[in-house]
Amino acid sequence: MTNLGTGNPAIRLENVEKSFGDHVVLQNVSLSVGAGQVFALIGPSGAGKSTLLRCINLLERPTSGSITVDGVTIQTDHTIKPKELAALRSRVGMVFQSFNLFPHMTVLRNIALPQQRVLGRSRADAEDRAHALLGRVGLADKASQYPARCSGGQQQRIAIARALALDPKVMLFDEPTSALDPELGLEVLTVMRELADEGMTMVVVTHEMQFARDVSDHLVVMSDGGILEEGDPHDIFSGPRHARTRQFLRAVVDRQ
Amino acid sequence: MSTLWSDLVTYADPLMEGLWVSLQLTFMTLGLGLPGGLVLAIAAASRSRAIGMVATTLVELGRGTPVLVLLLLVYNGIPLTLPAFVAAFIALAISTAAYSSEIIRGGLQAVPEDEVEAGQALGMSRAHVLRDVIVPQGLRIAMPPLVGFCIIMFQATSLAYVIAVRELTAQAKSIANETFHYFNLFLLAGALYAALSISASVLNQRAEKRLNRHA
Ligand SMILES: Nc1ncnc2c1ncn2[C@@H]1O[C@H](COP(=O)(O)OP(=O)(O)OP(=O)(O)O)[C@@H](O)[C@H]1O
Ligand SMILES: [Mg+2]
């Protein structure tokens, strides 16, 4: 399943490094995600998973290295022009652990407003699209509610719709279900699985080993700011090459 | 007591005229001062150090100078001769902008950083994030203290009597100068200020409750 090197990858990271002051958080990370692939990113707390994800859309500015998404390349040791940043971010959608909806707007406006601002769509077009996406994530009846009146699982599905409304080429998820009860998490995982089936390129930081095993087609194990190993999820789950991976997998399986 | 009542009846018209001037002065002061406060609050948080420093300096100067001194400065101190009402509203607006900018800045800072990041991740520009996410929520958070401050500014318009603006305090004083009913006239003026201030603050509290109910 790994199509490294074939065609143009949807995401390519080359020698990405990130430090906060003296604290080196990512060291020499290179990664290539093919179009339509679903990557799961796992690893112990503090490994740098969120930081790596946030480097892909430059919420975190890497100290060095380059980032390419769908043909747009950013050399991070140069000053980044606003245009480049906009081009990159228009290709990348992100879903956060804590949903981060805009609480002062209705669900519909949450999804429509970014389309108007970023893509210049008319309000009518943006709201049509928002209604369609709400239907797709099973929340057609929530359009006029405020986010606070929706459950966590519903809020996260709204956040996914909000990101999809901008027609991203890739979607990043940072532990999208860890703030949710298992039952509500399932609603979200179902939407993500559908998205994967439709061919969306996805990078998912997750503690859901079942999702990592069953939905992702490539698993990346991170530890201490680097990639420990990567490959077919089933292979890694059944025979991890590194002692560190084995230790981590045993710990999560025990916890579940 | 009977003279208090008769003073009220006799001088209701000039007192109400004075109150009307006080209210006009208040609304013009707030109309210029509050947007000024918003601009200063945004500028103080600017990524440009120069803009931030200029804004912070203006705020500190505005807050550091007593309103009375500002009034005299604008009316008497500058080479330009402005009508008293205009001078008063400019001086009061400067003070309003400086003080309200601190209140508004607190509101803007209380908007969660997570939402700002969500806007950035969606590709919204800084200006759009500011306009659509930070300012509307920041102002809502700042609203109760801001309304409280507006009530204080309404009372501060009474200082404009020193530059002969014919607002409520000046009217009361000029009537009292003729009748020597100082106690009655200032009591009536004080009651009018208090009546409006207390009503506004009751309305403010109700509105606050209603906002919280929907939050
Ligand atoms: N803004 C920041 N400033 C300083 N250090 C940071 C910052 N963000 C992250 N770090 C540090 O970087 C390291 C990696 O953090 P990161 O959040 O990427 O880990 P993670 O793998 O996502 O962990 P978790 O599973 O707990 O979410 C940690 O040591 C963290 O303390
Ligand atoms: Mg994390």
Side-chain angles (χ1 to χ4, degrees), chain A:
Chain A
M1 275 302 290
T2 52
N3 54 359
L4 294 172
T6 61
N8 278 334
I11 305 172
R12 188 205 291 280
L13 307 181
E14 278 176 291
N15 306 322
V16 169
E17 310 227 342
K18 172 70 187 175
S19 0
F20 293 103
D22 295 340
H23 184 31
V24 180
V25 176
L26 292 176
Q27 271 186 81
N28 214 14
V29 176
S30 297
L31 199 67
S32 186
V33 185
Q37 279 198 307
V38 178
F39 269 42
L41 205 55
I42 63 170
S45 183
K49 305 180 296 292
S50 297
T51 306
L52 182 63
L53 209 62
R54 292 161 56 83
C55 280
I56 297 176
N57 66 354
L58 293 176
L59 278 187
E60 222 63 84
R61 173 87 187 266
T63 326
S64 68
S66 77
I67 292 160
T68 305
V69 176
D70 185 46
V72 176
T73 300
I74 308 268
Q75 299 289 347
T76 56
D77 41 8
H78 297 43
T79 43
I80 299 170
K81 295 192 201 91
K83 263 205 176 131
E84 291 180 302
L85 189 62
L88 182 86
R89 287 193 174 150
S90 71
R91 286 163 167 76
V92 185
M94 187 172 212
V95 174
F96 300 86
Q97 184 175 345
S98 50
F99 331 131
N100 302 359
L101 294 175
F102 305 130
H104 59 302
M105 297 179 201
T106 62
V107 166
L108 189 72
R109 294 304 300 153
N110 260 280
I111 305 174
L113 180 104
Q115 300 176 57
Q116 294 168 238
R117 295 291 183 260
V118 178
L119 303 179
R121 282 186 188 146
S122 72
R123 183 171 177 142
D125 286 353
E127 293 190 347
D128 282 350
R129 185 80 210 283
H131 279 297
L133 281 162
L134 278 174
R136 188 167 145 194
V137 298
L139 295 172
D141 56 332
K142 292 288 176 192
S144 56
Q145 284 290 3
Y146 280 85
R149 302 292 285 289
C150 300
S151 74
Q154 291 169 340
Q155 289 190 51
Q156 193 61 299
R157 286 184 281 156
I158 294 160
I160 293 173
R162 181 175 67 171
L164 290 177
L166 299 170
D167 304 317
K169 295 290 195 280
V170 309
M171 286 282 286
L172 311 176
F173 296 83
D174 193 356
E175 302 197 32
T177 58
S178 26
L180 301 174
D181 294 339
E183 216 170 310
L184 299 181
L186 270 182
E187 302 172 353
V188 174
L189 289 172
T190 306
V191 169
M192 290 172 63
R193 187 188 290 261
E194 284 167 12
L195 204 54
D197 290 343
E198 288 161 21
M200 176 60 80
T201 308
M202 296 163 57
V203 180
V204 185
V205 174
T206 185
H207 285 146
E208 305 269 354
M209 290 305 136
Q210 203 173 346
F211 180 88
R213 186 164 30 205
D214 302 343
V215 181
S216 77
D217 45 36
H218 193 88
L219 185 68
V220 177
V221 187
M222 284 187 72
S223 163
D224 298 324
I227 294 175
L228 206 55
E229 60 183 293
E230 57 174 313
D232 182 86
H234 294 276
D235 293 349
I236 295 179
F237 277 111
S238 55
R241 268 178 286 146
H242 279 267
R244 188 87 181 81
T245 312
R246 208 171 303 136
Q247 197 185 355
F248 171 70
L249 288 178
R250 197 176 311 131
V252 263
V253 169
D254 283 353
R255 209 187 319 139
Q256 286 178 344

Side-chain angles (χ1 to χ4, degrees), chain B residues 4-156:
Chain B
L4 179 64
W5 179 250
S6 74
D7 276 346
L8 173 60
V9 175
T10 315
Y11 301 111
D13 281 354
L15 288 176
M16 290 316 278
E17 271 166 40
L19 181 61
W20 178 233
V21 173
S22 297
L23 284 172
Q24 283 176 310
L25 187 54
T26 305
F27 285 117
M28 292 194 56
T29 294
L30 298 176
L32 183 68
L34 292 178
L38 177 61
V39 169
L40 285 172
I42 291 170
S46 164
R47 271 193 306 181
S48 148
R49 292 226 2 229
I51 294 175
M53 293 255 292
V54 170
T56 310
T57 309
L58 287 177
V59 169
E60 289 309 320
L61 284 176
R63 290 180 351 133
T65 315
V67 184
L68 194 50
V69 174
L70 281 175
L71 278 165
L72 294 170
L73 188 69
V74 176
Y75 188 56
N76 298 319
I78 61 174
L80 208 65
T81 313
L82 297 170
F85 184 88
V86 175
F89 119 74
I90 290 174
L92 290 165
I94 291 173
S95 189
T96 301
Y99 276 100
S100 67
S101 83
E102 289 290 286
I103 300 172
I104 294 170
R105 196 157 64 105
L108 300 183
Q109 280 171 346
V111 176
E113 181 62 23
D114 284 352
E115 290 172 35
V116 175
E117 282 199 339
Q120 289 172 345
L122 289 162
M124 290 167 69
S125 66
R126 287 179 65 85
H128 281 146
V129 171
L130 191 66
R131 190 179 92 189
D132 297 322
V133 180
I134 300 177
V135 169
Q137 295 192 82
L139 285 183
R140 193 178 293 183
I141 295 167
M143 200 47 77
L146 216 46
V147 174
F149 172 73
C150 291
I151 294 169
I152 292 175
M153 283 318 289
F154 164 60
Q155 295 171 4

